Amino acid sequence: MSAAALVLAPVFLPLAVGALSAVLPRRAAATLTVIAAAATLMFAVLLGIAVLDAGPVRLEVAGWAPPVGILLAADGLSVVMIGLSATAVLAAALVAAADDHFAGGHAFWPLVGAAAAAVNGVFVTRDVFTAFVLLELLTIASVALVALGGARSAAAALRYLFVAVTGSLFFLLAVALTYGHTGTVDLAQAAERADDTVIVGAIIALTVVGMAAKTALFPLHSWLPAAHPAAPTAVSALLSALVIKASIVILWRIVEYFGPLTDLAAPLATAVGVAGAAAVLWGGVLALRRDRLKSIIAYSTVAQVGYMVLLVPLVFTASDPQVAWIGGILITLAHGVAKAAMFLAAGALAAAAGTGRLDGLEGTISRMPWTVAAIGLAGVSLAGLPPTLGFVGKWMLVQASLDAGAWWWLALLLGGGLLTFAYTARMLRATFNPPGDFSGARELTRPARTVAIVPLALAALSVVLGLIPWLLIDVLSAAPMGGGA
């Protein structure tokens, strides 16, 4: 397979499997989805090797060059995000295949295929209109996935739909401004032709608002804590690990291409950083106040989104923007792996105990120690403690903060880490045996073995990637920010 074909495969393979899953029996659909996710992970590895060898891999679809045709390109960011996408889908599919209760019904399989194709397409497109179309496909699939939670999820899915559509309208205005001002929707060509700093600033501002709504960045986050607990467990894992990453990447791309063209980018970046800081504190405090596992983890995602946008102000102020760029990407990758592990483990505990409330989990650690361990390891990575990938990403952001003389970001990173450690410890404490009871005699409805193994494997992956981060850093450095991919 040629390097260019490797760019297409992560988009069209899950799309084809999703379409087939709609007409196949559950077992066949589950098997195909697992195989497709594993194959996509292999494509990500091959793409990473190609990027290391020769830099960004470009493909003009059907041989038509922009502005008439569509350009797809894979750089380091694309490679690691496709890898995260495949890993999250593989984990969710394995758990959903083992127990249909975690999927919410047969519609899970075609919807996951559509969502994976859309998000992988966003990771490789360099065309803002194509990004808009793919983002809409992702929104439709994601809202439908949330609705699989049954009647109790209808209100949450509807709220998610309203917020996502509002965010889409803001981004559509940004796309229209881009085309109207430059005559193209290709990012590289638009960046070359743009000459009005006010219009470029407006494009960035509209994108920031639109993507903040879709990513659940404070204060536009209210849909996320409602959607996660209402959705089936495998869907919650995908929403947190994968779906919000598409809008994050679009925001980063706009900043990457248009940020250097206008002086308005710096104050807009500061506003994004302030919203991120508020998200870290607000999400962390509310996570501490919740009394249900999935609600705690959902508010944790609100907090972690704040870290993901911190690279935006830092790339404008650090003397070496590449450190902030790579650090932000690694934190986002670490969040995806850890949060998928945490949601799947929480779902397994809740299914075994018959409740997701903290006061109903007493004694579960004796019967399901590895599931509880998965939550603990994932929490360590989210808190940014060594030797996890979360630590590596946070350390690079700390370096960028000190380099920029922005010590307040350092205080935020440390404070957010303490909040993460606190609500993770609260979840773990709830699973302990009652004082004086060492028998571990509580009877539980044990989930399938796969349901217990997958979250632990994901949590362990956070540690493994933290021990060998240079593999990821080399790929990200091979096609750096602004590298013209």
Side-chain angles (χ1 to χ4, degrees):
M1 181 177 285
S2 68
L6 288 174
V7 181
L8 279 178
V11 181
F12 285 97
L13 179 60
L15 188 64
V17 169
L20 280 174
S21 298
V23 296
L24 289 174
R26 172 185 174 275
R27 185 178 294 277
T31 303
L32 267 183
T33 303
V34 168
I35 293 172
T40 304
L41 189 57
M42 181 191 69
F43 294 139
V45 172
L46 295 175
L47 262 179
I49 294 171
V51 169
L52 280 172
D53 284 345
V57 179
R58 297 163 55 93
L59 172 67
E60 292 171 352
V61 177
W64 291 84
V68 177
I70 297 172
L71 173 67
L72 302 180
D75 57 3
L77 172 59
S78 310
V79 168
V80 298
M81 285 299 163
I82 291 172
L84 170 62
S85 161
T87 302
V89 171
L90 180 61
L94 284 171
V95 168
D99 187 340
D100 195 47
H101 175 74
F102 288 82
H106 184 79
F108 174 82
W109 303 104
L111 290 172
V112 164
V119 79
N120 290 343
V122 167
F123 294 154
V124 296
T125 187
R126 294 296 182 277
D127 176 328
V128 286
F129 184 72
T130 303
F132 170 77
V133 172
L134 291 168
L135 210 52
E136 291 318 285
L137 173 61
L138 179 61
T139 296
I140 293 169
S142 304
V143 170
L145 281 167
V146 172
L148 292 178
R152 65 189 177 89
S153 67
L158 197 58
R159 180 190 291 190
Y160 178 20
L161 179 64
F162 284 150
V163 175
V165 168
T166 303
S168 298
L169 290 176
F170 277 91
F171 185 52
L172 184 59
L173 287 174
V175 173
L177 268 184
T178 302
Y179 182 76
H181 179 55
T182 65
T184 179
V185 288
D186 180 78
L187 274 172
Q189 290 185 345
E192 288 175 1
R193 298 177 184 179
D195 57 5
D196 188 318
T197 58
V198 175
I199 292 179
V200 172
I203 292 170
I204 296 174
L206 288 167
T207 304
V208 165
V209 176
M211 296 305 106
K214 285 180 172 289
T215 307
L217 176 62
F218 181 90
L220 304 176
H221 64 283
S222 63
W223 65 267
L224 190 144
H228 280 66
T233 294
V235 173
S236 298
L238 287 175
L239 282 178
S240 188
L242 182 59
V243 172
I244 62 172
K245 304 300 188 297
S247 41
I248 282 281
V249 167
I250 289 177
L251 173 61
W252 290 348
R253 292 292 188 200
I254 294 294
V255 169
E256 177 185 10
Y257 281 90
F258 290 135
L261 305 179
T262 173
D263 294 336
L264 296 174
L268 286 171
T270 301
V272 170
V274 170
V280 170
L281 300 176
W282 182 254
V285 169
L286 286 187
L288 270 175
R289 294 169 60 88
R290 300 297 103 178
D291 58 3
R292 290 180 178 273
L293 279 177
K294 290 183 80 173
S295 289
I296 293 172
I297 302 169
Y299 274 105
S300 165
T301 297
V302 172
Q304 298 292 323
V305 166
Y307 291 127
M308 297 176 207
V309 300
L310 277 189
L311 73 82
V312 175
L314 286 174
V315 295
F316 287 101
T317 52
S319 59
D320 185 1
Q322 196 65 18
V323 175
W325 180 251
I326 294 177
I329 294 171
L330 291 185
I331 274 198
T332 303
L333 181 62
H335 170 266
V337 174
K339 200 48 73 73
M342 199 174 264
F343 265 119
L344 294 178
L349 279 181
T355 177
R357 293 183 61 88
L358 294 185
D359 56 12
L361 300 176
E362 201 172 55
T364 51
I365 194 171
S366 294
R367 295 289 185 179
M368 302 174 66
W370 296 116
T371 306
V372 175
I375 292 179
L377 273 178
V380 167
S381 183
L382 292 173
L385 299 177
T388 63
L389 184 62
F391 167 75
V392 179
K394 193 172 280 190
W395 179 253
M396 295 185 78
L397 286 184
V398 166
Q399 286 181 306
S401 301
L402 294 175
D403 179 45
W407 58 268
W408 47 90
W409 296 134
L410 174 61
L412 177 72
L413 291 166
L414 294 176
L418 288 175
L419 283 171
T420 307
F421 183 78
Y423 59 71
T424 301
R426 188 162 171 257
M427 286 191 286
L428 297 181
R429 176 67 184 84
T431 66
F432 288 2
N433 294 327
D437 179 5
F438 303 102
S439 64
R442 180 180 178 182
E443 292 299 325
L444 299 174
T445 305
R446 288 190 178 235
R449 189 183 297 272
T450 304
V451 175
I453 292 174
V454 170
L456 183 62
L458 282 171
L461 182 61
S462 295
V463 177
V464 171
L465 292 176
L467 294 172
I468 51 172
W470 59 86
L471 289 177
L472 299 168
I473 293 173
D474 285 351
V475 172
L476 292 168
S477 301
M481 178 184 181

